[in-house]
Amino acid sequence: MQSQFTNLLQLQRYFTDELVCVQYLEQSRWAGNPFCPHCGSEHHYRTKTRFKSPELKDYKDFRCKACDKKYTVLTGTIYESSKIPLKTWFAAVYLCTAHKKGISSHQLARDLGITQKTAWFVLHRVRAMLQENSPELLQGDVEIDETFIGGKEGNKHKSDRSKSKKANSLRTNNKTAVIGAVERDGKIMVKKLDRLGAKTMREFVITNVDDNANIHTDEFGGYNQLERLGYNHQSVRHGVGEYVRGNVHTNTIEGAWSLLKRGIIGIYHSVSPKHLHRYCVEFEYRYNTRKIKDAERFADALKKTGNTR
């Protein structure tokens, strides 16, 4: 499906009403072959039921011949049962994916003429949509590293400092641990960890990295068991000033961490541990689509419209 726009202004001119948005979404989600979100059957027919919106008076529901349930292209998506117009959703998706460091809910609210509360809700739903359900395993030279997200203890409110002292986390200085693996000149996988340890790090590697990959890390002891699992693992010793040894280094993943942290510091200022995993998904998606144009990234994001986790 070819995009009819190359920037936000053209996008707004193209999606003039809800019917155009629905028709575009049908083509993006189903590519001309509608299927039932309830049971997956492709056997259906159009009903006489119409949307209540005047702009969608000519759009009819589907009914599945297999499970006899009604559905539309909005069923099972982040747009279902939402009073927010689709053209507002689409503009939010474009801005969220096009801005290199993200966009705050306050800025999105001003740009789209909605409340900050609504913008916050929309952004989190878009992040949920961008979640990769069945990612391919990373291959080739893969760098793995961990980082920590959170403010300094001295800058926290006194009550927050007293609470954070009770937190049970390893090497985090009461920050939230995030682990990532990146292919050189390829894609990245990022995950928030509830607890940093050899077991959680090992599970992350097994889930996201191919058995034949060449894994490069620093000297952190949590990676020591990778060779026992059959991985080709080499490390550099940052503690003694070794950052590159031949082809072995972690410069790529450390560069990715700098992008994540600059986005958090410069745009969001702070993120709570409760929602950090969604910001990681947003960063991961933009990093993995960094080589395509904004309009192509928007079209790709809409293909994930059935993701609601």
Side-chain angles (χ1 to χ4, degrees), residues 214-243:
N214 301 315
I215 298 179
H216 300 168
T217 70
D218 58 20
E219 70 271 34
F220 180 46
Y223 302 113
N224 290 342
Q225 298 183 11
L226 294 180
E227 292 183 8
R228 300 179 185 175
L229 297 175
Y231 288 100
N232 180 17
H233 172 226
Q234 299 184 69
S235 61
V236 287
R237 302 172 63 190
H238 291 171
V240 296
E242 182 186 50
Y243 295 94

Side-chain angles (χ1 to χ4, degrees), residues 14-60:
Y14 180 75
F15 295 114
T16 55
D17 56 52
E18 293 298 279
L19 182 59
V20 174
C21 295
V22 167
Q23 291 173 341
Y24 185 93
L25 194 60
E26 276 194 3
Q27 182 62 26
S28 176
R29 185 181 185 185
W30 291 330
N33 297 305
F35 62 87
C36 176
H38 305 291
C39 68
S41 173
E42 296 182 357
H43 301 288
H44 63 273
Y45 60 91
R46 292 276 192 173
T47 69
K48 295 182 179 180
T49 307
R50 293 182 173 85
F51 276 72
K52 295 181 180 179
S53 172
E55 294 182 356
L56 294 175
K57 62 181 180 179
D58 296 327
Y59 182 84
K60 298 179 180 179

Side-chain angles (χ1 to χ4, degrees), residues 57-98:
K57 62 181 180 179
D58 296 327
Y59 182 84
K60 298 179 180 179
D61 293 346
F62 294 92
R63 183 179 287 276
C64 178
K65 292 183 179 180
C67 65
D68 200 37
K69 292 182 179 179
K70 286 185 179 180
Y71 64 92
T72 70
V73 70
L74 306 183
T75 303
T77 71
I78 62 174
Y79 322 110
E80 185 177 12
S81 302
S82 172
K83 296 181 180 179
I84 304 170
L86 277 177
K87 53 187 177 183
T88 301
W89 276 106
F90 286 4
V93 171
Y94 185 90
L95 290 171
C96 181
T97 56

